[in-house]
Amino acid sequence: MTLDIPAAVLAGGASKRMGVPKATLPYGRGTLAGHQVERLAAVFREVWLVVREVPDYSPVPARLLFDSDPERSAMSGLLRALEECEDRVFVLAVDLPLVPDPVLRAIAQRGLESPASAVLPETAGELQPLAGVWSREALPEARRRAEKGERSLRALADAVGAEHFPENAWRRLDPSGNAFSNLNTIEDWVVARERA
C-alpha cells in the first residue's frame, strides 16, 4: 500500500568527496538515482527527483524538479522540495541507498501523524535530516536561513522543532544498523553496491 505523501530524492549535490556525480553511479539494475526513485515509487504516491540539470539517465517514474540555487547544498534541494509540496514531503538523499523500506514507511507514517514541522530519524545521537518527513511549515525558516547563508539542515531542524524518530524505533526494523550509512567515497559505494 502506498502512503499518501510525495517523496523527493535529492540528487543535485556537488559530490565533492566522491569526485563523480553520485546519482549516476551504477547501482542495482541501473543508477543510484534510479534505484532510489524505483524503491520510493513503491512506497509513496509520487516521487520527485531534485536535480540541477536534465540527467543523462532516465528519471522515470519520477518527476524532475530543478534546483536553480547557485549554492549547491542539501538546503537548496530541500527548499525546492518544500516549495513543491502542498503539506509534507518525505526527503531522501540519493546517497542513502541502505534505508530499508520498513524504516522508510515507519518514518513516513510518523511524519503523517505528527504535528511537528519535521520528523527525522536519530542515529548515534544526531538527526538525519535527509531521510525524513518535512512539512511546508518549515519553508519560511529554511528560506530565511538560506538567504543568510546558513545552510545547516540540523540547525534548521532544531529551529523548527523537529520531532526525533528514535534510534531504538528504527533499529527494530533494521537490526544491521546500516540504514543511514551514506556514500561519500568510492569505497563506500563499492561496499554498498555489494549489498544492492
Side-chain angles (χ1 to χ4, degrees):
M1 181 178 84
T2 57
L3 297 171
D4 191 21
I5 180 176
V9 177
L10 304 190
S15 298
K16 290 177 184 171
R17 286 177 284 182
M18 183 69 77
V20 296
K22 293 179 185 180
T24 64
L25 289 170
Y27 199 88
R29 297 180 303 196
T31 62
L32 188 55
H35 169 78
Q36 296 289 62
V37 164
E38 186 177 301
R39 67 200 202 96
L40 292 182
V43 177
F44 299 93
R45 75 164 189 245
E46 181 180 10
V47 180
W48 307 326
L49 183 63
V50 183
V51 294
R52 303 204 49 99
E53 55 208 24
V54 176
D56 58 3
Y57 52 86
S58 172
V60 175
R63 180 161 59 93
L64 292 177
L65 297 183
F66 293 96
D67 169 12
S68 59
D69 188 332
E71 175 71 37
R72 279 182 176 254
S73 68
M75 175 71 89
S76 64
L78 174 63
L79 276 166
R80 185 64 190 94
L82 289 175
E83 289 166 353
E84 192 70 18
C85 77
E86 294 175 8
D87 179 31
R88 296 173 189 279
V89 58
F90 187 93
V91 172
L92 184 65
V94 75
D95 64 356
L96 287 172
L98 302 179
V99 186
D101 289 358
V103 174
L104 295 174
R105 285 183 178 276
I107 297 167
Q109 191 61 52
R110 182 60 199 144
L112 287 168
E113 296 165 356
S114 174
S117 293
V119 173
L120 306 172
E122 189 177 48
T123 179
E126 291 195 4
L127 286 181
Q128 299 296 321
L130 293 179
V133 175
W134 287 87
S135 166
R136 191 173 170 91
E137 291 176 1
L139 183 57
E141 180 66 12
R143 281 182 174 149
R144 186 186 73 75
R145 287 172 172 270
E147 286 167 6
K148 291 171 61 178
E150 298 172 5
R151 300 267 168 173
S152 167
L153 292 185
R154 289 186 177 127
L156 172 63
D158 289 341
V160 301
E163 178 182 324
H164 294 214
F165 190 83
E167 185 164 355
N168 62 2
W170 65 260
R171 272 193 178 260
R172 286 196 295 267
L173 303 168
D174 176 32
S176 76
N178 293 323
F180 304 103
S181 299
N182 64 340
L183 312 185
N184 286 321
T185 66
I186 291 294
E187 291 75 21
D188 295 339
W189 165 69
V190 168
V191 171
R193 192 177 178 195
E194 289 172 0
R195 300 176 184 155

